[in-house]
Amino acid sequence: MNPFSLAGRRALVTGANTGIGQAIAWAMGRAGAEVVCAARGDCSETMAGLPNGRAVTLDLSDPLSASDLFKGEGIDILVNNAGTIHREDAIDVASDDWDRVIDLNLKSVYFTTQAFARERIAHGLGGAVVNIASLLSFQGGIRVPAYTASKHAVAGVTKALANEWAAKGLNVNAIAPGYIVTNNTAALRADADRSQSILDRIPAGRWGKADDIGEAAVFLSSPAAHYIHGVVLPVDGGWLAR
């Protein structure tokens, strides 16, 4: 038996229509999982790259929108990837912008995971949760106070839920992506000076690929990671080691 295989497993990935979420969905599909792509946007591109999967519309700007999503669905892997960011000087951030970031990046993660765990625990079943944290789960960042607060909290919630659910067969872990080539980082990569300053800090000497995150998510969801609980795993080319 391949301990890294997800054959026979069913995974739900939020924000699977693009970027890191799409790469995670494809990596899970390559590992043998049936993948449910959940997003408020069109997932047709992601679906085209999956050997076995389906798409559901899910708008997590309502943090409780996944409350009934897992009942009877046999989903045993949950990847909480959907998120947003708001860039503005801290002195100017409005309450509505703060709430929008916290609701999607933190509150929806908690209550989606709660709904997943209720279904698994009620039937005496194990499973895996992979939350997408950030380097700003460890650092402060600049002009993104709500995002930083949400990602620090995701790291904390990951550990808290692992403490409660590890003995019930649920693995709860997180990945903290480094600087990854996605649409969200296009402006940074287009700024030659900023891009070079980032590369100078990364021991691996390159920007990360979305597949780097996808493969890490497969590992944390696989039997190979059964004794890993409450970890926030940086996949950052060594950024935090500098």
Side-chain angles (χ1 to χ4, degrees), residues 21-230:
Q22 183 178 78
I24 291 172
W26 285 342
M28 297 240 168
R30 290 193 299 270
E34 176 186 350
V35 183
V36 180
C37 299
R40 60 184 174 187
D42 180 14
C43 283
S44 58
E45 183 179 88
T46 306
M47 294 297 299
L50 287 172
N52 187 17
R54 63 186 177 90
V56 297
T57 300
L58 184 65
D59 185 356
L60 289 167
S61 61
D62 171 5
L64 302 180
S65 60
S67 296
D68 298 320
L69 185 62
F70 301 98
K71 293 179 180 177
E73 290 295 319
I75 293 168
D76 51 7
I77 299 169
L78 168 63
V79 181
N80 287 306
N81 166 75
T84 191
I85 193 166
H86 178 78
R87 299 182 186 277
E88 190 173 23
D89 290 346
I91 201 167
D92 296 321
V93 174
S95 176
D96 287 349
D97 290 323
W98 178 275
D99 289 346
R100 177 173 54 83
V101 174
I102 297 298
D103 280 354
L104 181 54
N105 290 6
L106 175 61
K107 192 172 179 180
S108 77
V109 168
Y110 180 81
F111 285 104
T112 300
T113 305
Q114 183 189 68
F116 169 78
R118 278 179 173 163
E119 177 72 6
R120 303 305 292 175
I121 292 170
H123 293 90
L125 300 170
V129 176
V130 180
N131 295 323
I132 301 302
S134 169
L135 292 183
L136 297 190
S137 297
F138 307 98
Q139 300 175 323
I142 299 171
R143 303 184 76 244
V144 287
Y147 182 85
T148 299
S150 70
K151 293 301 184 177
H152 268 68
V154 165
V157 164
T158 297
K159 296 170 186 177
L161 298 182
N163 286 340
E164 290 199 37
W165 297 341
K168 299 180 185 297
L170 286 174
N171 294 71
V172 184
N173 293 292
I175 295 169
Y179 285 90
I180 307 297
V181 176
T182 66
N183 291 339
N184 286 342
T185 61
L188 284 177
R189 288 180 284 112
D191 183 331
D193 291 340
R194 183 76 173 104
S195 180
Q196 190 59 52
S197 71
I198 289 169
L199 284 172
D200 288 343
R201 164 86 186 251
I202 300 173
R206 67 169 176 88
W207 284 68
K209 300 176 293 184
D211 281 349
D212 294 325
I213 310 304
E215 301 299 343
V218 168
F219 165 63
L220 288 176
S221 303
S222 73
H226 272 177
Y227 200 59
I228 299 176
H229 297 274

Side-chain angles (χ1 to χ4, degrees), residues 228-242:
I228 299 176
H229 297 274
V231 162
V232 182
L233 173 66
V235 181
D236 64 354
W239 174 276
L240 289 175
R242 287 293 292 268

